[in-house]
Amino acid sequence: MKTVFLRALEADDKAEALLAAIRDPAAAHGKQRFEVETRSFAAVPRSPFAYWMGERLCQLFTDFPALETNGRAARQGGVNGDDFRWLRLWIETPLKGDRGRFVPIAKGGKFSPFYADLLLQAWWDPARDTFWSFTGLPHRPSLKPASFDFYFRPGLTWPRRTQGGLSLRPMPAGCIFADKGPAAFVANDDSDDLLALLALVNARPFRALVDLQMAFGSYEVGVIQRTPIPDVTPNDVSTLAALARRAWSLKRRLDTRIELSHAFSLPAALQVGGETFGVRAAAWSELVIAIEAELAMIQVEIDARCFDLYLINEADRRVVMEGFGEGATEPSALDEVEPDTEVDDDGDGENNADAMSLAAEMVSWALGVAVGRFDVRFATGARAEAPEPQPFDRLPICSPAMLVGDDDLPLQEAPADYPIAFPQSGVLVDDPGFARDIVAACRAVFDQIFGDSADSWWNEAAALLSPKDQSLRAWLATNLFEHHLKHCSKSRRKAPILWQLGTPSGRYSIWLYAHRLTRDSIFQLQNDVVAPKLAHEERQLTSMVQSTGGNPSAKERKEIAEQEAFVEELRGQLDEVKRLAPLWNPTLHDGVVLTMAPLWRLIPQHRAWQKELKSKWDELSTGKYDWAHIAMHLWPERVVPKCSADRSLAIAHGLEDIFWIQDEDAKWIARPNPKRSIDELIRERNSVAVKAALKGLNEATAPSGAGTRTRRSPS
């Protein structure tokens, strides 16, 4: 005996809809009226009242094996309890030395079937098989993360919750995965089997069977494990794998213009032809449209093949494609993203193809070339781009765009016959006529790329980006850092690697490339950049005063006053640089924001970013991040004693063996008698120069609205 279900969810007048379904069963059949054998619900895990599905679709759960069979598996990854401590954007991690301590991690993201770059990396301890210095959580004392046996295997990953629905994509070999970014695997890690599974799980039938089981909009591992997978032949595997591989390649192609991506090769303006940015923007738009059209065709073909593999007839196909009844939708909870889900911060604007976006990307890339980050030879054709990787290949240390040597690590010096000179220090300045002038450096890149037409491209970029001033110098001074910060902010991390230090008025800027900074960088800045600049401007001021003969005109008085204000800004900047130089000891393991925090007074022209750095500096000062190298460097008298009571901190600072030991039950306990005294360790790490610099920073007043003015002590 069948049960009758009446549906009036979509009707404005529900009473009338119910009456119509009762009076005219034939007309309402499959729309407002469903007659179902309720025993068929038992075939579906959790037995939902899926009256709109039909008995045949429910039967798929018994006709085909679940995903978690035949050597396949789906697993949820582990948690660490403190993402800020253990996760980084990949571009901010060290590019040399012990880079192996950072491994890619899948941790959710936005809706993106078939491809999504993994932008986060975890600070990893390969000797202990866990996060660096991790010692467990109260509710999970195990050091090894959940599903550790599946770590570093190639697989598929997906965001547990997104606004677009279920979307799986390749997870390359060498990665780990988190609770918000579960993963699926196949026997023997076969790439064709993985790609075929990628096609199946992104097909409409599989997604429909997943949604059927969900009481709320979270794609939990258990749901994926239980969802049936059809039987496939070797020919099916080959066909589906080829389709998925092509979809992955097409979506990765769009990522080759994104500076933050592992796939970045060149800005969009250099990947298409045309005589102006406007023409090239149109060409890129056409490319995007063509790729999206091909992706849609691939999805249609995958859906059709999977409907056949699931043996779903035409009537049931319509139910799946139309959303289970007139007006029905996927679970509405999918529209709500979990508060801690790792989604991109700036939406989906990455494929904007207007002329202004292309010009901004072009200038940003030119600056990257100017500091030695990117290789200009890819744009000139002097160096061939590496072939496209395979979907499950390990992620590279550097993107294809970067200037690297034979070891695939960044070059510190320009190779022989390299056409662009760049400062080994990674320092440029906004100072016309100076050897390291940022504008001249970017213009040299335009000259190299565009040759005789460089003027035209340079002027068009200026008109697009700075329509009022028609000057790229103005845009570089006031807008480039905001552009860079936005494009280096993902997954709740902000990691600009090009830093703009400036005066409050914005008349003078210094640009630093984070990956070239050393312990001596601030001393070099003091002696080679700021002090000479101040001396030059003081001479200018003296010359201006002397040239007036003691009786300046109103115009001259104004010019002198402006120069005096500028000189005073430079004096404040030099004072701050002098204070910072003795304590500066950058370690990118801590992440960009903590490494940069001591510089907060030198960034008055970017109020929001300065506020964030100031906040992190205050938190560092009060002991919130004592796991960081910078905390030990500046406050060993506070951090060393904590290491004797907190094993995690002891591991972080290399003091575990001094303060901790395992007892007979292999439980870690504090040594009754440390191998070395706390006072000795503090003396070893203390520095008179650092303490004096910290005292100077504490005595300096916070910048007012005008910027970095300081107050000297009476002494």
Side-chain angles (χ1 to χ4, degrees):
M1 182 177 177
K2 293 186 176 182
T3 300
V4 176
F5 293 85
L6 302 179
R7 181 186 183 94
L9 292 175
E10 296 80 31
D12 293 331
D13 189 337
K14 292 180 171 38
E16 180 62 31
L18 289 174
L19 285 173
I22 295 169
R23 291 169 177 168
D24 193 349
H29 181 71
K31 297 178 181 179
Q32 281 84 38
R33 183 185 179 99
F34 301 83
E35 297 182 13
V36 184
E37 175 57 67
T38 55
R39 286 179 298 179
S40 66
F41 297 156
V44 183
R46 299 179 179 176
S47 301
F49 277 17
Y51 56 85
W52 58 87
M53 281 284 286
E55 295 178 18
R56 171 61 195 141
L57 291 176
C58 292
Q59 193 65 31
L60 295 178
F61 285 88
T62 56
D63 287 351
F64 295 111
L67 184 143
E68 184 85 0
T69 54
N70 299 328
R72 297 183 296 260
R75 293 291 183 272
Q76 179 175 301
V79 297
N80 58 63
D82 189 350
D83 283 353
F84 184 80
R85 177 174 179 177
W86 280 296
L87 301 188
R88 306 283 183 270
L89 280 180
W90 77 279
I91 60 167
E92 66 178 317
T93 56
L95 298 178
K96 55 184 178 179
D98 56 355
R99 169 73 179 212
R101 284 189 181 176
F102 289 92
V103 297
I105 180 170
K107 199 174 187 295
K110 64 184 179 182
F111 175 82
S112 183
F114 296 108
Y115 169 88
D117 196 13
L118 297 183
L119 300 176
L120 288 172
Q121 294 199 334
W123 196 357
W124 190 253
D125 185 348
R128 298 169 63 244
D129 293 333
T130 191
F131 300 98
W132 180 255
S133 72
F134 181 77
T135 54
L137 295 170
H139 61 284
R140 189 182 64 79
S142 172
L143 294 185
K144 290 185 179 181
S147 307
F148 172 78
D149 291 344
F150 289 84
Y151 277 20
F152 307 109
R153 289 178 55 182
L156 309 179
T157 185
W158 70 94
R160 220 171 67 181
R161 199 178 184 99
T162 70
Q163 292 178 321
L166 179 65
S167 65
L168 283 87
R169 49 282 198 121
M171 181 179 71
C175 298
I176 67 175
F177 54 100
D179 59 326
K180 294 296 189 294
F185 305 88
V186 300
N188 302 318
D189 298 337
D190 183 83
S191 59
D192 277 354
D193 286 346
L194 276 170
L195 286 170
L197 182 61
L198 179 64
L200 283 165
V201 295
N202 280 317
R204 290 296 291 268
F206 185 88
R207 298 204 307 268
L209 295 173
V210 166
D211 291 339
L212 176 65
Q213 305 170 65
M214 294 167 56
F216 53 90
S218 185
Y219 297 108
E220 302 295 337
V221 167
V223 173
I224 304 301
Q225 290 173 336
R226 296 188 296 266
T227 304
I229 295 291
D231 299 321
V232 291
T233 66
N235 186 58
D236 294 327
V237 169
S238 178
T239 300
L240 290 172
L243 290 168
R245 172 67 174 78
R246 178 58 178 163
W248 175 89
S249 178
L250 288 168
K251 296 196 75 171
R252 182 184 180 277
R253 171 73 177 85
L254 296 177
D255 240 18
T256 60
R257 74 175 281 196
I258 308 300
E259 262 195 38
L260 188 60
S261 170
H262 284 91
F264 179 58
S265 59
L266 287 169
L270 297 181
Q271 295 195 40
V272 293
E275 297 302 315
T276 66
F277 282 111
V279 172
R280 295 195 181 195
W284 182 265
S285 293
E286 291 176 3
L287 174 65
V288 172
I289 291 170
I291 287 175
E292 291 176 344
E294 186 174 352
L295 283 168
M297 292 175 61
I298 290 172
Q299 185 67 65
V300 168
E301 185 171 354
I302 287 175
D303 289 344
R305 289 182 178 275
C306 290
F307 276 125
D308 289 341
L309 290 171
Y310 277 104
L311 306 177
I312 298 175
N313 61 35
E314 286 298 326
D316 287 335
R317 290 187 192 197
R318 285 195 297 272
V319 171
V320 172
M321 297 299 291
E322 294 173 6
F324 311 138
E326 193 174 85
T329 61
E330 294 178 351
S332 59
L334 287 176
D335 293 334
E336 300 294 331
V337 179
E338 289 180 353
D340 54 350
T341 296
E342 296 299 334
V343 296
D344 288 335
D345 300 311
D346 58 350
D348 297 319
E350 292 174 334
N351 279 316
N352 289 344
D354 57 275
M356 182 183 294
S357 297
L358 265 63
E361 289 176 7
M362 179 67 196
V363 176
S364 177
W365 173 81
L367 176 56
V369 173
V371 297
R373 182 185 181 200
F374 298 132
D375 193 337
V376 73
R377 295 172 297 181
F378 288 130
T380 63
R383 184 175 181 182
E385 189 176 329
E388 182 181 69
Q390 294 301 312
F392 301 101
D393 287 350
R394 290 176 178 268
L395 290 172
I397 292 176
C398 300
S399 69
M402 293 183 69
L403 180 63
V404 298
D406 294 336
D407 58 359
D408 292 328
L409 293 176
L411 289 173
Q412 297 302 305
E413 298 181 2
D417 302 323
Y418 189 70
I420 296 292
F422 58 83
Q424 191 171 347
S425 64
V427 177
L428 293 173
V429 296
D430 180 7
D431 195 358
F434 190 74
R436 302 181 192 175
D437 178 40
I438 184 175
V439 178
C442 291
R443 175 56 196 257
V445 177
F446 270 64
D447 290 339
Q448 186 66 35
I449 299 301
F450 298 114
D452 293 340
S453 60
D455 270 347
S456 174
W457 287 97
W458 185 261
N459 293 334
E460 185 187 1
L464 288 166
L465 298 175
S466 184
K468 179 180 178 180
D469 300 298
Q470 300 281 303
S471 166
L472 275 183
R473 184 176 296 278
W475 187 80
L476 286 164
T478 59
N479 297 102
L480 176 58
F481 181 77
E482 299 294 342
H483 170 88
H484 178 67
L485 177 62
K486 176 183 177 182
H487 288 81
C488 292
S489 298
K490 296 285 182 178
S491 300
R492 297 182 183 164
R493 286 202 67 86
K494 295 180 180 180
I497 55 174
L498 297 172
W499 304 349
Q500 184 184 17
L501 315 182
T503 57
S505 66
R507 288 183 61 182
Y508 183 67
S509 293
I510 303 166
W511 289 82
L512 310 178
Y513 177 33
H515 287 290
R516 293 189 182 275
L517 296 179
T518 68
R519 188 167 187 170
D520 296 326
S521 292
I522 302 299
F523 280 114
Q524 293 170 354
L525 210 62
Q526 170 187 323
N527 298 326
D528 301 340
V529 179
V530 185
K533 175 64 175 176
L534 173 59
H536 172 76
E537 296 301 332
E538 286 177 332
R539 290 193 296 270
Q540 287 287 99
L541 177 59
T542 299
S543 176
M544 292 171 66
V545 172
Q546 291 175 347
S547 67
T548 64
N551 187 28
S553 65
K555 179 182 178 182
E556 289 171 332
R557 287 196 300 273
K558 180 180 179 182
E559 291 173 348
I560 290 172
E562 289 175 350
Q563 184 67 7
E564 286 176 337
F566 184 40
V567 167
E568 184 63 22
E569 285 186 339
L570 291 173
R571 286 173 180 158
Q573 187 179 60
L574 181 58
D575 285 346
E576 185 68 14
V577 169
K578 286 180 177 179
R579 276 190 291 269
L580 287 169
L583 61 78
W584 179 251
N585 187 23
T587 306
L588 284 178
H589 291 80
D590 293 343
V592 162
V593 68
L594 292 187
T595 303
M596 199 176 176
L599 306 178
W600 68 269
R601 286 184 178 87
L602 292 172
I603 311 170
Q605 72 278 31
H606 299 295
R607 298 293 180 83
W609 183 236
Q610 184 186 56
K611 182 179 179 181
E612 183 150 353
L613 294 181
K614 171 65 164 57
S615 172
K616 287 295 183 287
W617 174 253
D618 290 342
E619 291 171 343
L620 271 168
S621 300
T622 56
K624 183 173 182 179
Y625 308 114
D626 278 348
W627 50 263
H629 292 82
I630 188 175
M632 176 65 87
H633 175 63
L634 298 180
W635 299 284
E637 69 281 1
R638 183 184 74 213
V639 178
V640 171
K642 285 186 177 181
C643 292
S644 67
D646 186 330
R647 179 168 160 254
S648 176
L649 293 182
I651 297 171
H653 297 296
L655 299 177
E656 180 186 31
D657 186 54
I658 292 175
F659 288 121
W660 295 84
I661 192 172
Q662 286 182 293
D663 62 15
E664 295 178 353
D665 298 324
K667 180 180 178 181
W668 285 95
I669 59 172
R671 288 182 182 273
N673 298 300
K675 288 185 174 182
R676 297 177 65 188
S677 73
I678 290 176
D679 289 342
E680 179 186 357
L681 293 169
I682 292 173
R683 285 195 301 271
E684 187 178 85
R685 288 160 174 75
N686 245 329
S687 164
V688 174
V690 168
K691 292 306 173 188
L694 278 174
K695 181 180 179 182
L697 286 178
N698 291 333
E699 291 175 348
T701 61
S704 66
T708 58
R709 301 293 295 273
T710 59
R711 181 184 68 242
R712 293 178 173 82
S713 64
S715 61

